[in-house]
Amino acid sequence: VLPLLGAVGAQLPAPPGLRGRGPDQAVLRHGVTVTGAVLAVAIALAAGFDHGHPGRMQATTDISWIPALGIRIHLGVDGISLPLVVLTALLTFLCALYSYFRMPTGPSPKAFVALLLLLEAGTLATFAVLDLVLFFLAFETVLIPMYFLIARWGGAQRQAAAWKFILYTVLGSVVMLLGLLLIGVKSGTFDMVALATDNGPKAQLSHTVQLVAVLAVGIGLAVKTPLWPLHSWLPDAHTAAPTVGSVLLAGVLLKMGTYGFVRIALPITPDGMHTFAPYLGAFAAVGIVYGSLACLALVRKGAKGDLKRLIAYSSVGHMGFVLLGIATMTPTGVNGALFANIAHGLITGLLFFLVGALKDRCGSTDLDRLAGRTGAALYGRAPRFGGLLAFSAVASLGIPGLAGFWGEMLAMFGAFRPAAGLSRPAFLTFMVLAGLGTLLTAAYLLLVVRRVCMGGTPAAAPAGPAPGSAPVPAPAPAVADIAGYEYAAWTPLAVLTVLAGLWPAALLGLTDPAVQQLLGGGK
């Protein structure tokens, strides 16, 4: 509710004492204030959460909304959804803070702030609602603000990218709605908590109904995740989106799809999920390798690869690990998927912040230009910026001790011994493909660091131009190092990446009891 009220307040004139240097600054400050208040409430929710019983729904609200259809306003959080709620609040606040100092080029800041807050409201609702119809409504709420953020404040080809984003996701959502309605009609309730128990309405869902429901709901969730080969909207959207749009798209919106698999497909339609799990695992494993190969193609010299597009393709691979963990249908794999979700939000959010700032400094994210003689060469020209970019790349490749390691490792452990009834040889093959993907990921990210942070390796220039020769190239222009507001926006993500890597039990202690209960039919 707070972001929704904030979105309305962004359209109102600022009080006389809070106008600052003008209306634009006032509304941007309003965005920082509201998102900061939401983050404070999310932290208070986490602090008051009963960590001794993370499998139990807490902070619940359950009131009738449309009695004739049995639809209720049912909200709550457990150990699965709480980390995603806090991550959403944190990333939105950091995006609002960053935009206060560097507003993306585009129309009125009033519309920008209102859309940002509407996006936050829809995302928070997605992770908190416990009714299938409300889940769909919240799921759809985020599409329109993200469409306008790309179309109005994006870069080149923003209109085409925005249309591709909205068409893919809306078509997937229509199919998902049919699956959700099928579950509700056949079981007699839309309540996700009741449906997740073995002795509840779920018992009325036949095997055929579960198969159809998983197929329909899974397609909609797979588009949002995105699962290969339904991923093609993602690179275009990321490349065209403004910096904060890319951060929220990668850090939060992609998690809505994987969360839906864990909250809906696994507990409510387990028989149907068991049938489709090998196919989901196969597509996930192919996506891991495909994303890495696409990144290797972009990073090679002369390919004119775009760094934002490369990180977008890397998300296809990283989310493949999340889906592989879910496909194992084991506590180990699902816990790994949930951990990888949070790690990807922290690390890739930081990477998109850095790449956006790099484009502001150098005027381009073309890797050939960034690696040329007058390219970035960040270690020598902006050492703190270059060091943070290298840190983010190393975290993304999954080095032990940082957040990216644990989720991918647990997902592969889950594939090593999948749930009973699933083909172990098939999942061992998926595990091998995922392991190959980790090697390819290390290859392209280290190449990015070498080309962008170290720059090119041109031959030494002569002391002076010889008669009749071409002039000596001018020295590379200066690159500004990290500014104060950038420290404020990026430091929390870097610190949490280290903390999650060194203390994974802080997150796994929340998710594991909830996952055990979810997979155990509420027991």
Side-chain angles (χ1 to χ4, degrees):
V1 172
L2 188 55
L4 285 177
L5 295 177
V8 174
Q11 303 302 307
L12 303 177
L18 299 176
R19 289 176 183 171
R21 292 192 299 270
D24 288 353
Q25 187 194 39
V27 74
L28 291 172
R29 185 190 294 134
H30 170 80
V32 176
T33 303
V34 174
T35 56
V38 173
L39 177 59
V41 173
I43 293 174
L45 175 65
F49 189 80
D50 182 1
H51 292 261
H53 301 87
R56 177 171 56 86
M57 285 295 171
Q58 303 180 34
T60 57
T61 299
D62 189 6
I63 57 177
S64 179
W65 183 33
I66 308 178
L69 299 178
I71 301 174
R72 306 183 65 83
I73 299 178
H74 192 184
L75 308 171
V77 293
D78 62 358
I80 294 172
S81 53
L82 179 64
L84 291 167
V85 168
V86 176
L87 176 67
T88 299
L90 173 65
L91 284 177
T92 311
F93 169 70
L94 297 180
C95 286
L97 180 64
Y98 186 84
S99 300
Y100 177 78
F101 294 95
R102 186 168 285 278
M103 169 73 192
T105 303
S108 164
K110 281 189 174 184
F112 175 83
V113 171
L115 290 169
L116 193 67
L117 293 171
L118 181 60
L119 184 70
E120 181 180 34
T123 310
L124 289 171
T126 301
F127 296 137
V129 297
L130 298 172
D131 183 279
L132 291 177
V133 175
L134 283 183
F135 177 84
F136 175 79
L137 294 177
F139 200 88
E140 296 304 288
T141 299
V142 305
L143 301 184
I144 299 303
M146 181 53 71
Y147 167 82
F148 281 110
L149 286 175
I150 297 172
R152 303 296 298 276
W153 288 271
Q157 304 297 320
R158 60 182 181 267
Q159 293 290 344
W163 274 111
K164 196 170 186 179
F165 162 77
I166 200 73
L167 287 175
Y168 264 79
T169 51
V170 166
L171 289 175
S173 297
V174 169
V175 180
M176 182 179 72
L177 176 61
L178 296 177
L180 296 176
L181 292 176
L182 176 63
I183 293 173
V185 169
K186 291 296 183 180
S187 65
T189 182
F190 292 102
D191 188 273
M192 294 158 68
V193 176
L195 285 165
T197 57
D198 283 343
N199 58 354
K202 179 173 68 174
Q204 303 177 33
L205 299 177
S206 67
H207 181 68
T208 302
V209 170
Q210 291 195 33
L211 284 177
V212 176
V214 165
L215 184 61
V217 173
I219 288 174
L221 298 174
V223 171
K224 179 73 78 177
T225 301
L227 173 68
W228 179 91
L230 302 174
H231 68 283
S232 61
W233 62 270
L234 184 68
D236 292 340
H238 270 309
T239 304
T243 297
V244 295
S246 293
V247 171
L248 292 175
L249 182 58
V252 177
L253 265 68
L254 301 188
K255 312 302 175 284
M256 294 163 57
T258 53
Y259 174 77
F261 274 108
V262 174
R263 181 64 74 192
I264 299 173
L266 281 177
I268 297 177
T269 55
D271 292 344
M273 188 66 185
H274 194 278
T275 300
F276 284 109
Y279 302 100
L280 179 61
F283 283 122
V286 171
I288 293 170
V289 177
Y290 170 84
S292 299
L293 291 176
C295 292
L296 280 172
L298 289 171
V299 79
R300 75 181 191 276
K301 187 175 181 180
K304 296 292 183 182
D306 186 280
L307 188 53
K308 283 189 74 174
R309 195 173 188 85
L310 183 145
I311 297 174
Y313 272 111
S314 77
S315 291
V316 176
H318 289 308
M319 299 311 290
F321 280 99
V322 177
L323 292 169
L324 177 60
I326 294 171
T328 68
M329 299 186 69
T330 63
T332 301
V334 177
N335 276 301
L338 294 172
F339 197 102
N341 253 348
I342 301 300
H344 180 264
L346 296 173
I347 297 169
T348 308
L350 179 57
L351 277 170
F352 275 117
F353 267 133
L354 290 166
V355 173
L358 186 62
K359 184 174 183 178
D360 293 336
R361 287 161 165 78
C362 300
S364 173
T365 51
D366 183 276
L367 279 164
D368 287 336
R369 287 185 60 183
L370 294 175
R373 173 170 173 76
T374 59
L378 293 177
Y379 283 160
R381 300 165 63 196
R384 290 184 290 276
F385 192 101
L388 188 55
L389 179 61
F391 165 82
S392 305
V394 169
S396 185
L397 65 85
I399 193 170
L402 297 176
F405 171 74
W406 296 106
E408 296 181 1
M409 184 195 71
L410 290 173
M412 289 192 284
F413 273 179
F416 181 74
R417 197 175 299 279
L422 296 178
S423 171
R424 193 179 182 207
F427 275 86
L428 286 175
T429 303
F430 304 155
M431 184 190 72
V432 171
L433 290 174
L436 173 62
T438 61
L439 297 177
L440 296 175
T441 300
Y444 71 74
L445 285 171
L446 291 176
L447 283 172
V448 167
V449 172
R450 188 184 73 178
R451 298 194 70 199
V452 176
C453 296
M454 299 179 183
T457 55
S469 65
V472 177
V479 174
D481 216 330
I482 301 177
Y485 72 92
E486 292 172 330
Y487 273 120
W490 302 344
T491 300
L493 300 180
V495 170
L496 289 173
T497 298
V498 175
L499 289 178
L502 295 179
W503 190 25
L507 184 56
L508 294 174
L510 281 174
T511 62
D512 184 54
V515 168
Q516 297 278 0
Q517 182 169 321
L518 208 65
L519 296 179
K523 301 181 182 64

